[in-house]
Amino acid sequence: MAAADAVSAAPRCVGVVGLGLIGGSFAKAYADAGVTVYGADKDERSLAAALAEGCIVGALDETTLGRCDLVVVALYPQDTIDWVRSMAPYFGEGALVVDCGGVKRPICEACFEAAEQAGFVFLGGHPMAGAHKSGFRAARADLFAGQPMVLVAPPIYDPALIVRAQQALIPAGFGSFSVTTPEMHDRLIAYTSQLAHVVSSAFVKSPTAQKHRGFSAGSYKDLTRVAEMNAAMWTELFLDNADNLVVELDCVMAELARYREALVESDAETLHDLLEEGSQAKLRADGRYADAKVATL
């Protein structure tokens, strides 16, 4: 798409609900692109900070919502459902609404129905970007630059809807887009995100963690980075996706048991094979299958 077309495709007015790390970063990205942004947040301090920085021009409410071509909802799952349902009568006809929740099945089921009844367009969304810090102060305009964005469309939709969403999200700077179903999203995210957070949280609870200073480097930092998390948000996300997350937990616990048994039995051959299996699995997961085959020679 030509640069001129990209500019013309950008929304003229955007509403952002929830001005934390994710929502605040959307607000800053669109404001930097010259788009008019209205914001809403239950925390008056975040709203005031966004106004003071000039990344929003005013409050997003019943009187301003109808002006927005695009509305980005960056709330917890149930709060997203409640907000979309309560504000459904005030969206402009045909307005595009995209959420940022970490699970998609409960959000999409409720919001697809609300959109069909009220006449706006809803797409599930999940920006694959974040940080261990939260809140508006942690938000930055380039948070999504080059990062993937997952879109979840209604069961029956015109492919032009995805093109419209991609063009509307240009100011955020995403590097790629994936389109999937709510079920597939939640199945994959249980492994790529939720399991990692659970393992990190459990790992750092070892009493040895309190004595690590001077004895840790990249491995410790990589494995514990996401242990410092928003417990309220992740509790809701884990419970909303408990069926998929339990499957992944069962898998990793079974694998850990194999390593433990090899250590207890001083079984060097089995331990070597387990470690080699992990190395090969990493190469294949990263799409480096040719490297994996060479490594086994």
Side-chain angles (χ1 to χ4, degrees), residues 91-144:
F91 288 114
E93 185 177 357
L96 177 61
V97 182
V98 180
D99 89 288
C100 300
V103 294
K104 294 274 78 85
R105 286 177 295 174
I107 292 175
C108 288
E109 180 180 4
C111 293
F112 285 155
E113 180 181 0
E116 185 175 2
Q117 293 176 353
F120 61 92
V121 179
F122 180 84
L123 274 179
H126 192 175
M128 296 288 101
H132 68 280
K133 294 184 178 180
S134 60
F136 182 76
R137 288 186 177 183
R140 62 179 201 268
D142 65 348
L143 180 67
F144 310 115

Side-chain angles (χ1 to χ4, degrees), residues 186-198:
D186 289 358
R187 192 178 311 152
L188 292 174
I189 215 69
Y191 173 75
T192 61
S193 176
Q194 295 181 346
L195 177 64
H197 281 77
V198 170

Side-chain angles (χ1 to χ4, degrees), residues 69-91:
D69 309 301
L70 170 68
V71 179
V72 177
V73 186
L75 302 173
Y76 295 1
Q78 188 57 52
D79 289 341
T80 294
I81 294 168
D82 293 343
W83 189 87
V84 170
R85 282 175 169 168
S86 67
M87 299 300 284
Y90 305 102
F91 288 114

Side-chain angles (χ1 to χ4, degrees), residues 279-297:
S279 294
Q280 299 303 308
K282 168 64 173 173
L283 292 172
R284 290 193 299 273
D286 289 352
R288 295 181 287 156
Y289 187 67
D291 294 338
K293 290 192 292 186
V294 169
T296 62
L297 296 177

Side-chain angles (χ1 to χ4, degrees), residues 162-214:
I162 302 302
V163 176
R164 177 188 174 191
Q166 291 173 337
Q167 293 178 350
L169 291 167
I170 284 172
F174 290 107
S176 64
F177 291 89
S178 300
V179 182
T180 188
T181 65
E183 293 76 20
M184 182 58 71
H185 170 277
D186 289 358
R187 192 178 311 152
L188 292 174
I189 215 69
Y191 173 75
T192 61
S193 176
Q194 295 181 346
L195 177 64
H197 281 77
V198 170
V199 170
S200 182
S201 179
F203 174 81
V204 80
K205 291 177 183 177
S206 167
T208 311
Q210 303 307 313
K211 306 172 185 177
H212 80 87
R213 294 170 186 81

